[in-house]
Amino acid sequence: MSDQPNANRRKFLRQASAAVAAIPVVSMAGISAAQANEKAEDGHAHEYVKNAADAAGHDDYVEGAKCKKCAFWGGGDAEWGQCYHADFQGVQVNANGWCDEFVEG
């Protein structure tokens, strides 16, 4: 009996394992690309406005909702600060701003 059938089976199993392992990586890359498409040129996403009053006509806006009152706010008492929402990494937001991901903090 030849070792060739076993060698082919091992090669197939290695390739199949590599393909299955790559699935989460490929799907995460697709999610990142989709999120990047939702961001404005300045890096902001989720219909962010730097003055919450400008969001008054938005369906999700609630009177008094501002970045500094949001659970994602990380700027303390500063006028500009970091938003800890995953889609706002690396950009500053205004304490008086608003986006449609607002969560009462």
Side-chain angles (χ1 to χ4, degrees):
M1 205 180 254
S2 169
D3 284 332
Q4 188 63 24
N6 287 334
N8 287 339
R9 187 176 323 150
R10 284 191 295 268
K11 181 178 178 182
F12 170 77
L13 290 173
R14 278 195 306 269
Q15 290 174 339
S17 297
V20 169
I23 291 171
V25 174
V26 171
S27 65
M28 286 179 7
I31 290 170
S32 296
Q35 289 173 345
N37 290 338
E38 293 175 8
K39 291 185 178 182
E41 288 181 16
D42 62 0
H44 294 103
H46 299 287
E47 300 186 39
Y48 167 82
V49 291
K50 70 178 183 178
N51 183 350
D54 294 340
H58 194 283
D59 291 340
D60 295 331
Y61 179 74
V62 177
E63 185 69 34
K66 297 179 181 183
C67 291
K68 67 182 174 186
K69 295 180 180 179
C70 181
F72 293 117
W73 175 249
D77 293 330
E79 180 181 359
W80 289 88
Q82 176 64 48
C83 174
Y84 289 113
H85 188 280
D87 292 340
F88 284 90
Q89 297 301 305
V91 296
Q92 297 283 301
V93 295
N94 192 292
N96 293 313
W98 178 87
C99 83
D100 62 7
E101 291 295 315
F102 176 82
V103 177
E104 187 73 37

Coordinates of all heavy atoms in Angstrom, one line a residue:
M1 N 0.8 -1.2 0.0 CA 0.0 0.0 0.0 C 0.9 1.2 0.0 O 1.9 1.3 0.7 CB -0.9 0.0 1.2 CG -2.1 0.8 1.0 SD -3.2 0.7 2.4 CE -4.5 -0.3 1.9
S2 N 0.5 2.3 -0.7 CA 1.3 3.5 -0.8 C 0.9 4.5 0.2 O -0.2 4.5 0.8 CB 1.0 4.1 -2.2 OG 1.5 5.3 -2.3
D3 N 1.9 5.4 0.6 CA 1.7 6.5 1.5 C 1.0 7.7 0.8 O 0.6 8.6 1.5 CB 3.0 7.0 2.1 CG 3.5 6.0 3.2 OD1 2.7 5.3 3.8 OD2 4.7 5.9 3.4
Q4 N 0.8 7.6 -0.5 CA 0.3 8.8 -1.2 C -1.1 9.1 -0.7 O -1.4 10.3 -0.5 CB 0.3 8.5 -2.7 CG -0.1 9.7 -3.6 CD 0.9 10.8 -3.4 OE1 2.1 10.7 -3.1 NE2 0.4 12.0 -3.7
P5 N -2.1 8.2 -0.5 CA -3.4 8.6 -0.1 C -3.4 9.3 1.3 O -4.1 10.3 1.5 CB -4.2 7.3 0.0 CG -3.5 6.4 -1.0 CD -2.0 6.8 -0.9
N6 N -2.5 8.8 2.2 CA -2.4 9.5 3.5 C -1.8 10.9 3.4 O -2.2 11.8 4.1 CB -1.6 8.6 4.5 CG -2.4 7.4 4.9 OD1 -3.6 7.4 4.9 ND2 -1.6 6.4 5.3
A7 N -0.8 11.0 2.5 CA -0.2 12.3 2.3 C -1.2 13.3 1.7 O -1.3 14.5 2.2 CB 1.0 12.2 1.4
N8 N -2.0 12.9 0.8 CA -3.1 13.8 0.3 C -4.1 14.1 1.3 O -4.6 15.3 1.4 CB -3.8 13.1 -0.9 CG -2.9 13.0 -2.2 OD1 -1.9 13.8 -2.3 ND2 -3.2 12.1 -3.1
R9 N -4.4 13.2 2.2 CA -5.4 13.4 3.2 C -4.8 14.5 4.2 O -5.5 15.4 4.6 CB -5.8 12.1 3.9 CG -6.9 12.3 4.9 CD -7.3 11.0 5.6 NE -7.2 9.9 4.6 CZ -7.0 8.7 4.9 NH1 -6.8 8.3 6.2 NH2 -6.9 7.7 4.0
R10 N -3.6 14.3 4.6 CA -2.9 15.2 5.5 C -2.9 16.6 4.9 O -3.1 17.6 5.6 CB -1.5 14.8 5.9 CG -1.6 13.6 6.9 CD -0.2 13.4 7.5 NE 0.8 12.9 6.5 CZ 1.0 11.6 6.2 NH1 0.3 10.7 6.8 NH2 1.8 11.3 5.3
K11 N -2.5 16.7 3.6 CA -2.4 18.0 3.0 C -3.8 18.7 2.9 O -4.0 19.8 3.2 CB -1.9 17.8 1.5 CG -1.8 19.1 0.8 CD -1.3 18.9 -0.6 CE -1.2 20.2 -1.4 NZ -0.7 20.0 -2.8
F12 N -4.9 17.9 2.6 CA -6.2 18.4 2.6 C -6.6 18.9 4.0 O -7.2 20.0 4.1 CB -7.2 17.3 2.1 CG -8.6 17.7 2.3 CD1 -9.3 18.6 1.5 CD2 -9.4 17.2 3.4 CE1 -10.6 19.0 1.7 CE2 -10.7 17.6 3.6 CZ -11.3 18.5 2.7
L13 N -6.3 18.1 5.0 CA -6.7 18.5 6.4 C -6.0 19.8 6.8 O -6.6 20.7 7.5 CB -6.4 17.4 7.4 CG -7.4 16.2 7.3 CD1 -6.9 15.1 8.2 CD2 -8.8 16.6 7.6
R14 N -4.7 20.0 6.5 CA -4.0 21.2 6.8 C -4.6 22.4 6.1 O -4.8 23.4 6.7 CB -2.5 21.1 6.3 CG -1.6 20.4 7.3 CD -0.1 20.6 7.1 NE 0.2 20.2 5.7 CZ 0.7 19.0 5.3 NH1 0.8 18.1 6.2 NH2 1.0 18.9 4.0
Q15 N -4.9 22.2 4.8 CA -5.5 23.3 4.0 C -6.9 23.7 4.6 O -7.3 24.9 4.7 CB -5.6 23.0 2.5 CG -4.2 23.0 1.9 CD -4.2 22.5 0.5 OE1 -5.2 21.8 0.0 NE2 -3.2 22.8 -0.3
A16 N -7.7 22.7 4.9 CA -9.0 22.9 5.4 C -9.0 23.6 6.8 O -9.7 24.5 7.0 CB -9.8 21.6 5.5
S17 N -8.0 23.2 7.6 CA -7.9 23.8 8.9 C -7.5 25.3 8.8 O -8.0 26.2 9.5 CB -6.8 23.1 9.8 OG -7.2 21.8 10.0
A18 N -6.6 25.6 7.8 CA -6.2 27.0 7.6 C -7.3 27.8 7.1 O -7.5 29.0 7.5 CB -5.0 27.0 6.6
A19 N -8.1 27.2 6.2 CA -9.3 28.0 5.7 C -10.3 28.3 6.8 O -10.8 29.4 6.9 CB -9.9 27.2 4.6
V20 N -10.6 27.3 7.7 CA -11.5 27.5 8.8 C -11.0 28.5 9.7 O -11.7 29.4 10.2 CB -11.8 26.2 9.5 CG1 -12.6 26.4 10.8 CG2 -12.6 25.2 8.5
A21 N -9.7 28.5 10.0 CA -9.1 29.5 10.9 C -9.1 30.9 10.4 O -9.2 31.9 11.1 CB -7.7 29.1 11.2
A22 N -9.1 31.0 9.1 CA -9.1 32.4 8.4 C -10.5 33.0 8.4 O -10.6 34.2 8.2 CB -8.6 32.3 7.0
I23 N -11.6 32.3 8.6 CA -12.9 32.8 8.5 C -13.1 34.0 9.5 O -13.6 35.0 9.1 CB -14.0 31.7 8.7 CG1 -14.0 30.8 7.5 CG2 -15.4 32.3 8.9 CD1 -14.8 29.5 7.7
P24 N -12.8 33.9 10.8 CA -13.0 35.1 11.7 C -12.2 36.3 11.2 O -12.7 37.4 11.3 CB -12.6 34.6 13.0 CG -12.6 33.1 13.0 CD -12.4 32.7 11.5
V25 N -11.0 36.1 10.8 CA -10.2 37.2 10.4 C -10.8 37.9 9.2 O -10.9 39.2 9.1 CB -8.8 36.7 10.0 CG1 -7.9 37.9 9.5 CG2 -8.1 36.1 11.3
V26 N -11.3 37.2 8.2 CA -11.9 37.7 7.0 C -13.2 38.5 7.4 O -13.4 39.6 6.9 CB -12.1 36.7 6.0 CG1 -13.0 37.2 4.8 CG2 -10.8 36.1 5.4
S27 N -14.0 37.9 8.3 CA -15.2 38.6 8.6 C -15.0 39.8 9.4 O -15.7 40.8 9.3 CB -16.1 37.6 9.4 OG -15.6 37.3 10.6
M28 N -14.0 39.9 10.3 CA -13.6 41.1 11.0 C -13.1 42.2 10.1 O -13.4 43.3 10.3 CB -12.6 40.8 12.1 CG -13.1 40.1 13.3 SD -12.0 39.6 14.6 CE -10.5 40.4 14.2
A29 N -12.4 41.8 9.1 CA -11.9 42.8 8.1 C -13.1 43.4 7.3 O -13.2 44.6 7.1 CB -11.0 42.1 7.1
G30 N -14.1 42.6 7.0 CA -15.3 43.1 6.4 C -16.1 44.1 7.3 O -16.6 45.1 6.8
I31 N -16.2 43.8 8.6 CA -16.8 44.7 9.5 C -16.1 46.0 9.6 O -16.7 47.1 9.6 CB -16.9 44.0 10.9 CG1 -17.9 42.8 10.9 CG2 -17.4 45.0 12.0 CD1 -17.9 42.0 12.1
S32 N -14.8 46.0 9.7 CA -14.0 47.2 9.8 C -14.2 48.0 8.5 O -14.3 49.3 8.6 CB -12.5 46.9 9.9 OG -12.3 46.2 11.2
A33 N -14.3 47.4 7.4 CA -14.5 48.2 6.1 C -15.8 48.8 6.1 O -16.0 49.9 5.7 CB -14.3 47.3 4.9
A34 N -16.8 48.1 6.6 CA -18.2 48.6 6.6 C -18.3 49.8 7.6 O -18.9 50.8 7.3 CB -19.2 47.6 7.1
Q35 N -17.6 49.7 8.8 CA -17.6 50.8 9.7 C -16.9 52.0 9.1 O -17.3 53.1 9.3 CB -17.0 50.4 11.0 CG -17.8 49.4 11.8 CD -17.1 48.9 13.0 OE1 -15.9 49.0 13.1 NE2 -17.8 48.3 13.9
A36 N -15.8 51.8 8.4 CA -15.0 52.9 7.9 C -15.9 53.7 6.9 O -15.8 54.9 6.7 CB -13.8 52.4 7.2
N37 N -16.7 52.9 6.1 CA -17.6 53.6 5.2 C -18.6 54.5 5.8 O -19.1 55.4 5.2 CB -18.3 52.6 4.3 CG -17.3 51.9 3.3 OD1 -16.2 52.4 3.0 ND2 -17.6 50.7 2.9
E38 N -19.0 54.2 7.1 CA -20.0 55.0 7.8 C -19.4 56.3 8.3 O -20.2 57.1 8.7 CB -20.6 54.2 8.9 CG -21.4 53.0 8.4 CD -21.9 52.1 9.6 OE1 -21.8 52.5 10.7 OE2 -22.5 51.1 9.3
K39 N -18.1 56.4 8.5 CA -17.5 57.5 9.1 C -17.4 58.7 8.1 O -17.2 58.5 6.9 CB -16.1 57.2 9.6 CG -16.1 56.3 10.8 CD -14.8 56.1 11.3 CE -14.8 55.2 12.5 NZ -13.5 55.0 13.1
A40 N -17.5 59.9 8.6 CA -17.3 61.1 7.8 C -15.9 61.3 7.6 O -15.0 60.6 8.2 CB -18.0 62.3 8.6
E41 N -15.5 62.3 6.8 CA -14.1 62.5 6.4 C -13.3 62.9 7.7 O -12.1 62.6 7.8 CB -14.0 63.6 5.4 CG -14.4 63.2 4.0 CD -14.3 64.3 3.0 OE1 -13.6 65.3 3.3 OE2 -14.9 64.2 1.9
D42 N -13.9 63.5 8.7 CA -13.2 63.9 9.9 C -13.1 62.8 10.9 O -12.6 63.0 12.0 CB -13.9 65.2 10.5 CG -15.3 64.9 11.0 OD1 -15.8 63.8 10.8 OD2 -15.9 65.9 11.5
G43 N -13.6 61.6 10.6 CA -13.4 60.5 11.5 C -14.7 60.2 12.4 O -14.7 59.3 13.1
H44 N -15.6 61.1 12.3 CA -16.8 61.0 13.2 C -17.8 60.1 12.5 O -17.9 60.0 11.2 CB -17.4 62.3 13.5 CG -16.6 63.2 14.3 ND1 -15.8 64.2 13.8 CD2 -16.3 63.1 15.6 CE1 -15.2 64.8 14.8 NE2 -15.4 64.1 15.9
A45 N -18.6 59.4 13.3 CA -19.6 58.5 12.7 C -21.0 58.7 13.4 O -21.1 59.6 14.3 CB -19.2 57.0 13.0
H46 N -21.9 57.9 13.1 CA -23.2 57.9 13.7 C -23.9 59.3 13.8 O -24.4 59.7 14.8 CB -23.1 57.3 15.1 CG -22.7 55.9 15.1 ND1 -23.4 54.9 14.7 CD2 -21.4 55.4 15.4 CE1 -22.7 53.7 14.7 NE2 -21.5 54.0 15.1
E47 N -23.9 60.0 12.7 CA -24.5 61.3 12.5 C -24.1 62.3 13.6 O -24.9 63.1 14.1 CB -26.0 61.1 12.5 CG -26.4 60.2 11.3 CD -27.9 60.1 11.1 OE1 -28.6 61.1 11.3 OE2 -28.4 59.0 10.8
Y48 N -22.8 62.2 14.0 CA -22.3 63.1 15.1 C -22.4 64.6 14.6 O -22.2 64.9 13.5 CB -20.8 62.8 15.3 CG -20.1 63.9 16.1 CD1 -20.2 63.9 17.5 CD2 -19.3 64.8 15.5 CE1 -19.5 64.9 18.2 CE2 -18.7 65.8 16.2 CZ -18.8 65.8 17.6 OH -18.1 66.8 18.3
V49 N -22.8 65.4 15.6 CA -22.8 66.9 15.4 C -22.1 67.5 16.7 O -22.2 66.9 17.8 CB -24.2 67.5 15.3 CG1 -24.9 67.1 14.0 CG2 -25.1 67.1 16.4
K50 N -21.3 68.5 16.5 CA -20.6 69.1 17.6 C -21.4 69.9 18.5 O -21.0 70.3 19.6 CB -19.3 69.8 17.2 CG -19.5 71.1 16.4 CD -18.2 71.7 16.1 CE -18.4 73.0 15.4 NZ -17.1 73.7 15.2
N51 N -22.7 70.3 18.1 CA -23.6 71.0 18.9 C -24.9 70.2 18.9 O -25.6 70.1 17.9 CB -23.8 72.4 18.3 CG -24.8 73.2 19.2 OD1 -25.4 72.8 20.1 ND2 -24.8 74.5 18.9
A52 N -25.3 69.7 20.1 CA -26.5 68.8 20.2 C -27.7 69.5 19.7 O -28.6 68.8 19.2 CB -26.6 68.3 21.6
A53 N -27.8 70.8 19.8 CA -29.0 71.5 19.3 C -29.2 71.3 17.8 O -30.4 71.3 17.3 CB -28.9 73.0 19.6
D54 N -28.2 71.0 17.1 CA -28.3 70.7 15.6 C -28.9 69.3 15.3 O -29.3 69.1 14.2 CB -26.9 70.8 15.0 CG -26.3 72.2 15.0 OD1 -27.0 73.1 15.2 OD2 -25.1 72.3 14.8
A55 N -29.0 68.5 16.4 CA -29.6 67.2 16.2 C -31.1 67.2 16.6 O -31.7 66.1 16.6 CB -28.9 66.2 17.0
A56 N -31.7 68.3 16.9 CA -33.1 68.4 17.4 C -34.1 67.7 16.5 O -35.0 67.1 16.9 CB -33.5 69.8 17.6
G57 N -33.8 67.6 15.2 CA -34.8 67.0 14.3 C -34.6 65.5 14.1 O -35.3 64.9 13.4
H58 N -33.5 65.0 14.6 CA -33.2 63.5 14.5 C -34.2 62.7 15.3 O -34.5 63.0 16.4 CB -31.7 63.3 14.9 CG -31.2 62.0 14.5 ND1 -31.6 60.8 15.1 CD2 -30.4 61.6 13.5 CE1 -31.0 59.8 14.5 NE2 -30.3 60.3 13.5
D59 N -34.6 61.6 14.7 CA -35.6 60.7 15.4 C -35.1 60.2 16.8 O -35.9 60.0 17.7 CB -35.9 59.5 14.5 CG -36.7 59.9 13.3 OD1 -37.3 61.0 13.3 OD2 -36.7 59.1 12.4
D60 N -33.8 59.9 16.9 CA -33.2 59.4 18.2 C -32.8 60.5 19.2 O -32.5 60.1 20.3 CB -32.0 58.5 17.9 CG -32.3 57.3 17.0 OD1 -33.4 56.8 17.2 OD2 -31.4 56.9 16.3
Y61 N -32.9 61.7 18.8 CA -32.5 62.8 19.7 C -33.5 63.0 20.9 O -34.7 63.0 20.6 CB -32.2 64.1 19.0 CG -31.8 65.2 19.9 CD1 -30.6 65.3 20.4 CD2 -32.7 66.2 20.3 CE1 -30.2 66.3 21.3 CE2 -32.4 67.2 21.1 CZ -31.1 67.3 21.6 OH -30.7 68.3 22.4
V62 N -32.9 63.1 22.1 CA -33.8 63.4 23.3 C -33.2 64.7 23.8 O -32.0 64.9 24.0 CB -33.6 62.3 24.3 CG1 -34.4 62.6 25.6 CG2 -34.1 61.0 23.7
E63 N -34.1 65.6 24.2 CA -33.7 66.9 24.7 C -32.7 66.7 25.9 O -33.0 65.9 26.8 CB -34.9 67.7 25.2 CG -34.6 69.1 25.7 CD -34.2 70.1 24.6 OE1 -34.7 69.9 23.4 OE2 -33.4 70.9 24.9
G64 N -31.6 67.5 25.9 CA -30.6 67.4 26.9 C -29.5 66.4 26.7 O -28.6 66.3 27.5
A65 N -29.7 65.5 25.7 CA -28.6 64.5 25.5 C -27.4 65.2 24.9 O -27.5 65.9 23.9 CB -29.2 63.5 24.5
K66 N -26.3 65.0 25.5 CA -25.0 65.6 25.0 C -23.9 64.6 25.3 O -24.0 63.7 26.2 CB -24.7 66.9 25.8 CG -25.6 68.0 25.5 CD -25.3 69.2 26.3 CE -26.3 70.3 26.1 NZ -25.9 71.5 26.8
C67 N -22.8 64.7 24.6 CA -21.7 63.8 24.7 C -21.2 63.7 26.2 O -20.9 62.7 26.7 CB -20.5 64.2 23.8 SG -20.8 63.9 22.1
K68 N -21.2 64.9 26.9 CA -20.6 64.9 28.2 C -21.6 64.2 29.2 O -21.2 63.8 30.3 CB -20.4 66.3 28.7 CG -21.6 67.2 28.9 CD -21.2 68.6 29.3 CE -22.4 69.5 29.3 NZ -22.0 70.9 29.6
K69 N -22.8 63.8 28.8 CA -23.7 63.1 29.6 C -23.8 61.6 29.2 O -24.6 60.9 29.7 CB -25.1 63.7 29.6 CG -25.2 65.1 30.2 CD -26.6 65.6 30.1 CE -26.7 67.0 30.6 NZ -28.1 67.6 30.5
C70 N -23.0 61.2 28.2 CA -23.1 59.9 27.6 C -22.1 58.9 28.3 O -21.1 59.4 28.8 CB -22.7 60.0 26.1 SG -22.7 58.4 25.3
A71 N -22.5 57.7 28.4 CA -21.7 56.7 29.1 C -20.3 56.5 28.4 O -19.4 56.0 29.0 CB -22.4 55.3 29.1
F72 N -20.2 56.8 27.1 CA -19.0 56.7 26.3 C -18.0 57.9 26.5 O -16.9 57.8 26.0 CB -19.3 56.5 24.8 CG -20.0 55.2 24.5 CD1 -21.2 55.2 23.9 CD2 -19.4 54.0 24.7 CE1 -21.9 54.1 23.6 CE2 -20.0 52.8 24.4 CZ -21.3 52.8 23.8
W73 N -18.5 58.9 27.1 CA -17.7 60.2 27.3 C -16.5 59.9 28.2 O -16.6 59.3 29.3 CB -18.5 61.3 27.9 CG -17.8 62.5 28.2 CD1 -17.5 63.1 29.4 CD2 -17.2 63.5 27.2 NE1 -16.8 64.2 29.3 CE2 -16.6 64.5 28.0 CE3 -17.1 63.5 25.8 CZ2 -16.0 65.6 27.3 CZ3 -16.5 64.5 25.2 CH2 -15.9 65.6 26.0
G74 N -15.3 60.3 27.7 CA -14.1 60.2 28.5 C -13.3 61.5 28.7 O -12.1 61.4 28.9
G75 N -14.0 62.6 28.5 CA -13.3 63.9 28.5 C -13.4 64.7 29.8 O -12.9 65.8 29.9
G76 N -14.0 64.1 30.8 CA -14.1 64.8 32.1 C -14.9 66.1 31.9 O -15.9 66.2 31.3
D77 N -14.3 67.2 32.4 CA -14.9 68.5 32.3 C -14.4 69.3 31.1 O -14.8 70.5 31.0 CB -14.7 69.3 33.6 CG -15.4 68.7 34.8 OD1 -16.5 68.1 34.6 OD2 -14.9 68.8 35.9
A78 N -13.6 68.8 30.3 CA -13.0 69.5 29.1 C -14.1 69.7 28.0 O -15.1 69.0 28.0 CB -11.9 68.6 28.5
E79 N -13.8 70.7 27.2 CA -14.7 71.0 26.1 C -14.7 70.0 25.0 O -15.7 69.6 24.4 CB -14.4 72.4 25.5 CG -15.3 72.8 24.3 CD -14.9 74.1 23.7 OE1 -14.0 74.8 24.1 OE2 -15.6 74.5 22.7
W80 N -13.5 69.4 24.8 CA -13.3 68.4 23.8 C -12.7 67.2 24.5 O -11.9 67.3 25.4 CB -12.3 68.8 22.7 CG -12.9 69.8 21.8 CD1 -12.9 71.1 21.9 CD2 -13.7 69.5 20.6 NE1 -13.6 71.8 20.9 CE2 -14.1 70.8 20.0 CE3 -14.0 68.4 19.9 CZ2 -14.8 70.9 18.9 CZ3 -14.7 68.5 18.7 CH2 -15.1 69.7 18.2
G81 N -13.1 66.0 24.1 CA -12.5 64.8 24.8 C -12.7 63.5 23.9 O -13.2 63.6 22.8
Q82 N -12.3 62.4 24.5 CA -12.3 61.1 23.8 C -13.7 60.5 24.0 O -14.2 60.5 25.2 CB -11.2 60.2 24.4 CG -11.3 58.8 23.8 CD -11.0 58.8 22.3 OE1 -10.0 59.4 21.8 NE2 -11.8 58.1 21.6
C83 N -14.2 59.9 23.0 CA -15.4 59.1 23.1 C -14.9 57.7 23.0 O -14.1 57.3 22.2 CB -16.3 59.4 21.9 SG -17.8 58.2 21.8
Y84 N -15.4 56.8 24.0 CA -14.9 55.5 24.0 C -15.7 54.5 23.2 O -15.5 53.3 23.3 CB -14.8 55.0 25.5 CG -13.6 55.7 26.2 CD1 -13.9 56.6 27.2 CD2 -12.3 55.5 25.8 CE1 -12.8 57.3 27.8 CE2 -11.3 56.1 26.4 CZ -11.5 57.0 27.4 OH -10.5 57.7 28.1
H85 N -16.6 55.0 22.4 CA -17.3 54.1 21.5 C -16.3 53.6 20.4 O -15.5 54.4 20.0 CB -18.5 54.9 20.8 CG -19.4 54.0 20.0 ND1 -19.1 53.6 18.8 CD2 -20.6 53.4 20.3 CE1 -20.0 52.8 18.3 NE2 -21.0 52.7 19.2
A86 N -16.4 52.4 20.1 CA -15.5 51.8 19.1 C -15.4 52.5 17.8 O -14.3 52.6 17.2 CB -15.9 50.3 18.9
D87 N -16.4 53.1 17.3 CA -16.4 53.8 16.1 C -15.8 55.2 16.1 O -15.7 55.9 15.1 CB -17.8 53.9 15.5 CG -18.4 52.6 15.1 OD1 -17.6 51.6 14.9 OD2 -19.6 52.4 15.0
F88 N -15.5 55.7 17.3 CA -14.9 57.0 17.5 C -13.4 57.0 18.0 O -12.9 58.0 18.4 CB -15.7 57.8 18.5 CG -17.0 58.3 17.9 CD1 -18.2 57.6 18.0 CD2 -17.1 59.6 17.3 CE1 -19.4 58.1 17.4 CE2 -18.2 60.0 16.7 CZ -19.4 59.3 16.8
Q89 N -12.8 55.9 17.8 CA -11.4 55.7 18.3 C -10.5 56.7 17.5 O -10.6 56.7 16.3 CB -10.9 54.3 18.2 CG -11.7 53.3 19.0 CD -11.6 53.7 20.5 OE1 -10.6 53.8 21.1 NE2 -12.8 53.9 21.1
G90 N -9.7 57.5 18.2 CA -8.7 58.3 17.6 C -9.3 59.7 17.2 O -8.6 60.5 16.5
V91 N -10.5 60.0 17.5 CA -11.1 61.3 17.2 C -11.6 62.0 18.4 O -12.0 61.3 19.4 CB -12.2 61.3 16.1 CG1 -11.7 60.8 14.8 CG2 -13.4 60.4 16.6
Q92 N -11.6 63.3 18.5 CA -12.1 64.0 19.6 C -13.5 64.4 19.3 O -13.9 64.7 18.2 CB -11.3 65.3 19.8 CG -9.8 65.0 20.2 CD -9.7 64.6 21.6 OE1 -10.1 65.3 22.5 NE2 -9.2 63.4 21.9
V93 N -14.3 64.5 20.4 CA -15.7 64.9 20.2 C -16.0 66.1 21.2 O -15.3 66.2 22.2 CB -16.7 63.8 20.5 CG1 -16.6 62.7 19.4 CG2 -16.6 63.2 21.9
N94 N -16.9 66.9 20.9 CA -17.2 68.1 21.7 C -18.1 67.6 22.8 O -19.1 66.9 22.6 CB -17.9 69.2 20.9 CG -18.0 70.5 21.6 OD1 -18.7 70.6 22.6 ND2 -17.2 71.5 21.1
A95 N -17.9 68.2 24.0 CA -18.7 67.8 25.2 C -20.2 68.2 25.0 O -21.1 67.5 25.5 CB -18.2 68.6 26.4
N96 N -20.5 69.2 24.1 CA -21.8 69.6 23.8 C -22.4 68.9 22.6 O -23.4 69.3 22.1 CB -21.9 71.1 23.8 CG -21.7 71.7 25.1 OD1 -22.3 71.3 26.1 ND2 -20.8 72.7 25.1
G97 N -21.6 68.0 22.0 CA -22.0 67.3 20.8 C -23.0 66.2 21.1 O -23.5 65.9 22.2
W98 N -23.4 65.5 20.0 CA -24.3 64.4 20.1 C -24.1 63.4 18.9 O -23.8 63.9 17.8 CB -25.8 64.9 20.1 CG -26.8 63.8 20.1 CD1 -27.3 63.3 21.2 CD2 -27.5 63.2 19.0 NE1 -28.3 62.3 20.9 CE2 -28.4 62.3 19.5 CE3 -27.4 63.4 17.6 CZ2 -29.2 61.5 18.7 CZ3 -28.1 62.6 16.8 CH2 -29.0 61.7 17.3
C99 N -24.4 62.1 19.1 CA -24.5 61.2 18.0 C -25.6 60.2 18.3 O -26.1 60.1 19.4 CB -23.2 60.5 17.7 SG -22.9 59.1 18.8
D100 N -26.0 59.4 17.3 CA -27.1 58.5 17.5 C -26.8 57.3 18.3 O -27.6 56.4 18.5 CB -27.8 58.1 16.1 CG -26.8 57.4 15.2 OD1 -25.7 57.0 15.6 OD2 -27.2 57.2 14.0
E101 N -25.6 57.2 18.9 CA -25.2 56.1 19.8 C -25.3 56.5 21.2 O -24.8 55.8 22.1 CB -23.8 55.6 19.4 CG -23.7 54.8 18.1 CD -24.6 53.6 18.1 OE1 -24.5 52.8 19.1 OE2 -25.3 53.3 17.1
F102 N -25.9 57.7 21.5 CA -25.9 58.2 22.9 C -26.5 57.2 23.8 O -27.6 56.7 23.6 CB -26.7 59.5 22.9 CG -26.9 60.1 24.2 CD1 -25.9 60.9 24.8 CD2 -28.1 59.8 25.0 CE1 -26.1 61.4 26.1 CE2 -28.3 60.3 26.2 CZ -27.3 61.1 26.8
V103 N -25.8 57.1 25.0 CA -26.3 56.2 26.0 C -26.2 57.0 27.3 O -25.1 57.5 27.7 CB -25.5 54.9 26.2 CG1 -25.9 54.1 27.4 CG2 -25.5 54.1 24.9
E104 N -27.3 57.2 28.0 CA -27.3 58.0 29.2 C -26.3 57.5 30.2 O -26.3 56.3 30.5 CB -28.7 57.9 29.9 CG -28.9 58.8 31.1 CD -29.0 60.3 30.7 OE1 -29.6 60.6 29.7 OE2 -28.4 61.1 31.5
G105 N -25.4 58.3 30.6 CA -24.3 57.9 31.5 C -24.6 58.3 32.9 O -24.6 58.2 33.9

